[in-house]
Amino acid sequence: MTRFTFRTVFYLIIDAFLLTATFVHIPYVVRRASAPFDVERKGTSVVIGSILSQKAGPDIRSGDTLSSWEGKPIAMPEMVEYLADVAPIGAEIRVGIQRGDTTLSTSIQLVAYYESFRFLIISLFVGLTMFGAGVFILLNRPHEVAARALHWSLITLGTTTMITWGAVEPGSIETSIARIIWFVAYLGVAVSFFFFSLVFPRERLPRLGEFSWLLVLVVTALGSAFAFSHLTALGSGSVEAFKTFQTFFDVFHGSLFLFVGGGLFNIAQATWKATSNEERHKMYWVLWGLLIGTVPYLLLHILPQLILSEYLIPEEFTTIFFLAVPVGFAIALLRYRLFDIEAVISRTIVYGVLSSFIVAAYALIVLLMTSIIGEVVFEQYLLVAGLTLVMGVMINPLRLRLQHVVDESLFAARANYRRALSGASEVLRRALNGGELFRHLVDAVRRVVPGEMIAVYEAEAGKLALRNCWGVSPEPTVALREDLTAALVAGEAIVSARVADVGQSKIQPAREKWLAERHWSVCVPMVSQARMLLGALVLNPRSGEHYVEEEINFLHSVAAQTSELLERLILQEEIILAQEEKRRSEELSALKSYFISSVSHELRMPLTSIRMFAEMLRSRAVKSPRQQREYLEIIEGESERLSRLIGNILDFAKIERGVKEYSFASVRIETVVKRSAQAMRYQFLNHGGKLRIRMQRGIPSIEADGDALEEAMLNLLSNALKYSTTRKSVELHVSQLKRKILLVISDKGIGIPQHDLPHIFERFYRVPDERARQVGGAGLGLAIVKHIVDAHHGSISVKSKVGQGTVFTLALPISQEHPRKQA
């Protein structure tokens, strides 16, 4: 059972209070009075238009200018409606009129504002529909911001519709409260709808829902201020008070276009940006419901009142369009799971609601038609009976057609088996792998066969493993008995007699018991062409529902199609895996060949130099002591180069096996830098390069592995020299920034393309550039540097521009606890 929070209970109490207030207000709506004529604005004058009751105003003519009402000057058409509200029906009102050059004073008798109960019935029907939809949304998604915003949009719309303006009793608390509720709700409709468009289908601004209470305070304060201004004007009858209120009210009506128009724009934009077809279709229904429901009211009711101070059509006609709003949301909810609400609605419930809706609509249509035709119809009962009979005959085909639409939308297999199967096949064929296929299968079945639980299992060794489900969560794994496996492999569906029509001969107590233990009702197998069990489709119907033959056949068909597609996907995956394995094997072989070739080349060069200069020294061909020292320095430098290369290979092998160790001790970076520069001296002299070192004073010692840091520096300096093909100038800058030591190595070499930067620390990676390939190398140095820096809890970054050079930055923490040895 769902447990509601205090906030949800509080919202429901407010809903109940507003609904009670609307019913209490009904007598005031019935007693609302009106002048026996319409008025319109012409220039600065208020002119009488059509005469509604000649008997109630015998001396009034169309075209007269209305100048006063009980001695109060009439400055705008709206004042006639406002002043009539404070008097009862049948009251004698003294009015002043201007007819040409003649000024007259005469009496009129107020008539009922609503000639029939038509508007009251329509407003109650529409308002109760809004309340029902709003409460349903709140009860199902009480914790979602968008659902709560929609709830208040529907509740305030229903309140505004039902608590429409009625008779005003000066000083009455009931009418004052009713006007305050109306103004707050009217303003709340626009604001809550716009807020809803900002948080649906997802929040456009972060944490927007946390500040919704501010909107409630603003709406309540402004609505109360509007009501106070209006009641003050009614009490005083002052022209200035009415003008002030009407100005505010017109500004608010103008803002309705901004709020509602902005909200519709936001919903349309969300529809356009929908990432899936299901979300787009859901948004389409929401958008069309909102457009049909709001646009007629704005264009035919609000806009004419702003411009002409009159309505183009009666309010009840535009009110009917509001029904499109909950209808659009209902379709999005039932068919596309709006707000992820799992609406458990059976066919009987849908038909019952649909029939009630049709009966109510039938009554409304008859009422509207008879009201439009006029009083003549009510005097000729035969015509009324004929009209009712004709409409009754028209309603039945409409009812059957709507039921067919409902069947196709919610119970597709019963309405059109072929179309449902074709649609499911189209959905299943979109799958690119087994996971997608199982998800599409559940979605396809959910749209056609109603159920409270739909699940798909994949067969493993002696059991079924859950792969996807909808609704109530089933068991993750289910053991299979030999007799059940044999039946499923034979293609037999295991169906409970409780939920489907099966012959008595097919009822097997053991299978019924197995289904009951699993809390399943239907188990349809998926079998390969080689008669191997691939999986099973499992369903439970909704409470009180019963599966028919078409639905069972549909499940058999989609299970068979899924089996065929699953076999194909498994075969494709095996082929892809084989191809991938072959590609990786070929790639590994190529890497191995490249590595051996690169290492052989790197080893051959220093060995050749060592051998050549050693033979020259041994042959005693070199007599000069200076030249002998030079040759010995070359041999020493090439030996160090050879040692570094072999060290890189051995270190990389340790890293790959996970046995690389680091010995941490107090190390001065200055010492590491000097040793690195001394080790690279021969290479820089040999290649005609220059190494410039800049070191900030006072660099503290750090806990580090000095030999590992030297190795990292040597790799970076060696790379900087190797890839500087023309300007062989390398700079090493050491500095302290807060609690880190920065070692920046920059060159003016060939540079690295931006798209290669994320990969340069990968093993064996070489930039696919002809100039870079000419330099040589095994592609291990930077991978080793990255491992050393990570072991020291530091970081390494790189910036580079092709043709302008590269900058590597090592950041090492000054104080960091390290183990003495670290893999």
Side-chain angles (χ1 to χ4, degrees):
M1 182 177 178
T2 304
R3 296 186 65 181
F4 298 118
T5 62
F6 172 78
R7 177 176 58 190
T8 304
V9 174
F10 180 65
Y11 288 173
L12 292 174
I13 292 174
I14 295 177
D15 294 346
F17 169 74
L18 293 176
L19 186 61
T20 303
T22 59
F23 283 116
V24 171
H25 185 66
I26 289 176
Y28 294 92
V29 178
V30 175
R31 296 199 302 267
R32 188 183 185 189
S34 171
F37 49 76
D38 290 330
V39 293
E40 58 187 19
R41 185 192 300 275
K42 284 191 177 180
T44 58
S45 302
V46 177
V47 178
I48 295 174
S50 59
I51 306 299
L52 303 178
S53 173
Q54 193 66 56
K55 181 180 179 182
D59 298 328
I60 303 297
R61 299 179 186 176
S62 180
D64 290 346
T65 299
L66 184 64
S67 57
S68 65
W69 181 289
E70 290 290 334
K72 299 180 179 67
I74 301 298
M76 53 186 177
E78 290 84 359
M79 285 186 64
V80 176
E81 179 180 346
Y82 298 154
L83 291 172
D85 285 345
V86 298
I89 298 173
E92 294 285 340
I93 302 296
R94 198 72 183 171
V95 298
I97 60 174
Q98 187 78 27
R99 185 178 299 158
D101 297 330
T102 305
T103 301
L104 301 175
S105 179
T106 185
S107 295
I108 61 171
Q109 189 177 32
L110 297 184
V111 298
Y113 189 90
Y114 300 107
E115 298 178 358
S116 68
F117 289 106
R118 180 183 65 201
F119 174 75
L120 187 60
I121 294 174
I122 292 174
S123 62
L124 284 175
F125 181 74
V126 174
L128 290 174
T129 303
M130 298 296 173
F131 264 87
V135 171
F136 177 82
I137 293 292
L138 178 65
L139 293 178
N140 281 276
R141 300 296 291 178
H143 305 296
E144 188 167 338
V145 176
R148 295 200 301 270
L150 177 60
H151 160 261
W152 286 120
S153 298
L154 293 172
I155 293 298
T156 51
L157 180 57
T159 302
T160 306
T161 303
M162 290 195 291
I163 204 168
T164 185
W165 287 7
V168 176
E169 297 177 0
S172 169
I173 296 178
E174 290 82 358
T175 54
S176 298
I177 292 175
R179 287 295 164 103
I180 292 173
I181 291 175
W182 187 88
F183 278 104
V184 173
Y186 198 24
L187 184 59
V189 174
V191 175
S192 59
F193 171 66
F194 183 72
F195 180 80
F196 166 74
S197 72
L198 294 177
V199 296
F200 176 80
R202 56 192 60 87
E203 291 191 31
R204 296 172 179 263
L205 299 174
R207 303 177 63 186
L208 183 62
E210 297 179 13
F211 302 98
S212 58
W213 60 274
L214 288 175
L215 293 179
V216 176
L217 293 179
V218 172
V219 167
T220 304
L222 287 178
S224 300
F226 278 143
F228 177 77
S229 176
H230 180 62
L231 293 171
T232 300
L234 290 178
S236 65
S238 168
V239 174
E240 292 301 322
F242 277 120
K243 284 184 176 181
T244 300
F245 164 74
Q246 194 60 42
T247 301
F248 288 148
F249 203 40
D250 288 343
V251 169
F252 167 67
H253 273 154
S255 69
L256 276 181
F257 284 89
L258 295 178
F259 281 116
V260 178
L264 292 175
F265 174 79
N266 290 337
I267 298 295
Q269 191 179 42
T271 304
W272 178 262
K273 293 182 178 180
T275 56
S276 65
N277 286 333
E278 183 170 3
E279 183 179 359
R280 186 172 292 108
H281 289 141
K282 172 173 62 180
M283 295 300 297
Y284 276 149
W285 282 110
V286 172
L287 180 61
W288 280 114
L290 292 170
L291 286 173
I292 296 173
T294 59
V295 171
Y297 182 75
L298 292 176
L299 298 184
L300 301 177
H301 190 77
I302 299 299
L303 190 61
Q305 195 277 332
L306 282 173
I307 299 174
L308 306 174
S309 295
E310 61 177 318
Y311 307 125
L312 289 184
I313 61 176
E315 186 178 357
E316 56 262 35
F317 291 102
T318 57
T319 301
I320 293 177
F321 286 99
F322 288 150
L323 290 173
V325 177
V327 169
F329 278 100
I331 295 175
L333 185 149
L334 292 175
R335 190 165 187 181
Y336 300 106
R337 291 177 60 204
L338 180 68
F339 296 127
D340 292 326
I341 293 176
E342 308 289 353
V344 182
I345 301 176
S346 68
R347 201 181 193 200
T348 304
I349 295 175
V350 173
Y351 284 166
V353 173
L354 183 64
S355 299
S356 301
F357 195 85
I358 290 175
V359 169
Y362 170 65
L364 284 176
I365 293 172
V366 172
L367 181 62
L368 290 174
M369 292 297 295
T370 52
S371 300
I372 292 171
I373 293 174
E375 295 182 358
V376 176
V377 174
F378 292 99
E379 296 173 359
Q380 300 179 12
Y381 296 104
L382 183 60
L383 185 56
V384 175
L387 177 64
T388 306
L389 181 62
V390 169
M391 296 189 64
V393 172
M394 294 172 59
I395 284 294
N396 192 54
L398 176 63
R399 178 183 63 82
L400 296 176
R401 177 59 185 168
L402 287 176
Q403 287 185 354
H404 180 71
V405 171
V406 170
D407 279 341
E408 285 196 333
S409 299
L410 303 178
F411 311 95
R414 308 181 187 192
N416 195 318
Y417 177 81
R418 288 186 177 181
R419 185 183 301 173
L421 188 59
S422 175
S425 300
E426 183 180 350
V427 171
L428 292 174
R429 294 184 187 279
R430 298 174 190 162
L432 300 178
N433 52 55
E436 284 191 11
L437 179 64
F438 295 140
R439 178 167 55 84
H440 290 332
L441 174 60
V442 171
D443 289 341
V445 172
R446 178 173 61 85
R447 295 177 183 177
V448 176
V449 181
E452 70 174 12
M453 186 276 288
I454 302 171
V456 58
Y457 286 82
E458 188 174 12
E460 294 181 353
K463 64 179 181 180
L464 294 174
L466 181 66
R467 291 292 180 260
N468 201 289
C469 68
W470 175 86
V472 180
S473 298
E475 297 179 72
T477 57
V478 175
L480 281 173
R481 300 202 308 258
E482 290 186 7
D483 58 329
L484 293 174
T485 303
L488 293 173
V489 168
E492 296 181 23
I494 302 177
V495 183
S496 173
R498 295 179 293 102
V499 298
D501 296 325
V502 294
Q504 291 294 322
S505 60
K506 295 184 179 181
I507 298 177
Q508 298 186 22
R511 296 183 182 181
E512 290 266 341
K513 181 180 178 182
W514 182 75
L515 287 175
E517 290 173 351
R518 307 280 83 76
H519 302 289
W520 296 350
S521 298
V522 177
C523 180
V524 181
M526 296 184 293
V527 184
S528 69
Q529 293 183 352
R531 310 312 296 174
M532 292 181 60
L533 183 63
L534 300 177
L537 177 63
V538 176
L539 288 90
N540 268 343
R542 294 165 176 168
S543 178
E545 281 290 310
H546 198 73
Y547 288 135
V548 298
E549 183 180 358
E550 292 88 347
E551 291 168 336
I552 300 297
N553 291 338
F554 172 81
L555 296 176
H556 270 291
S557 299
V558 294
Q561 290 189 12
T562 303
S563 303
E564 179 185 344
L565 292 172
L566 185 58
E567 275 193 291
R568 187 183 306 168
L569 289 172
I570 291 173
L571 180 60
Q572 288 178 356
E573 289 179 359
E574 291 176 352
I575 294 173
I576 291 172
L577 287 175
Q579 291 176 343
E580 180 65 18
E581 189 65 29
K582 181 180 178 182
R583 185 192 66 79
R584 292 184 62 183
S585 178
E586 292 175 349
E587 183 180 299
L588 187 60
S589 178
L591 279 174
K592 181 180 177 182
S593 299
Y594 171 76
F595 176 72
I596 294 173
S597 174
S598 298
V599 170
S600 299
H601 175 72
E602 292 290 318
L603 291 173
R604 188 182 298 115
M605 290 179 63
L607 284 173
T608 301
S609 297
I610 292 171
R611 182 178 180 180
M612 181 182 67
F613 288 105
E615 288 179 351
M616 291 178 66
L617 289 172
R618 187 175 60 181
S619 66
R620 300 183 182 276
V622 180
K623 304 295 184 181
S624 169
R626 184 185 61 80
Q627 201 169 20
Q628 288 178 353
R629 285 196 304 270
E630 182 182 343
Y631 286 0
L632 287 173
E633 286 180 357
I634 291 175
I635 292 173
E636 184 181 8
E638 293 294 342
S639 298
E640 290 178 354
R641 177 182 170 190
L642 183 61
S643 178
R644 283 197 301 273
L645 178 60
I646 295 172
N648 275 347
I649 295 172
L650 295 176
D651 284 343
F652 180 75
K654 291 179 181 179
I655 292 172
E656 285 290 282
R657 296 198 306 271
V659 295
K660 174 66 177 174
E661 296 182 348
Y662 296 96
S663 298
F664 290 90
S666 179
V667 174
R668 290 185 59 82
I669 293 297
E670 181 180 358
T671 304
V672 174
V673 170
K674 286 181 178 180
R675 290 208 313 255
S676 302
Q678 182 63 30
M680 290 296 300
R681 178 176 172 274
Y682 164 74
Q683 287 196 39
F684 273 89
L685 289 174
N686 189 41
H687 290 82
K690 292 182 179 180
L691 174 60
R692 182 185 177 191
I693 299 175
R694 292 189 300 150
M695 183 171 295
Q696 180 181 321
R697 292 184 179 181
I699 298 294
S701 300
I702 64 171
E703 283 286 316
D705 186 324
D707 293 335
L709 289 183
E710 184 179 345
E711 183 180 359
M713 297 293 296
L714 291 175
N715 274 298
L716 293 175
L717 290 172
S718 177
N719 280 352
L721 180 61
K722 282 194 301 184
Y723 293 105
S724 297
T725 55
T726 55
R727 294 176 293 175
K728 298 181 180 297
S729 176
V730 180
E731 183 173 312
L732 171 57
H733 182 216
V734 183
S735 63
Q736 179 182 351
L737 179 63
K738 295 181 180 180
R739 301 299 299 168
K740 291 185 178 180
I741 294 177
L742 303 182
L743 296 95
V744 181
I745 299 173
S746 58
D747 63 61
K748 294 178 170 48
I750 61 177
I752 305 171
Q754 292 296 316
H755 59 273
D756 287 310
L757 289 178
H759 307 289
I760 62 174
F761 295 105
E762 298 173 4
R763 58 177 186 168
F764 303 123
Y765 186 82
R766 298 294 309 281
V767 175
D769 181 86
E770 188 60 32
R771 292 179 300 173
R773 290 188 179 278
Q774 291 174 359
V775 174
L780 301 178
L782 290 180
I784 294 172
V785 172
K786 182 69 166 59
H787 192 274
I788 292 172
V789 173
D790 289 343
H792 286 74
H793 301 286
S795 63
I796 183 170
S797 59
V798 56
K799 294 181 181 179
S800 185
K801 288 187 178 180
V802 176
Q804 297 184 26
T806 305
V807 178
F808 282 91
T809 302
L810 276 68
L812 301 173
I814 291 177
S815 60
Q816 179 70 46
E817 292 295 327
H818 293 285
R820 299 306 296 177
K821 292 185 178 180
Q822 180 173 327

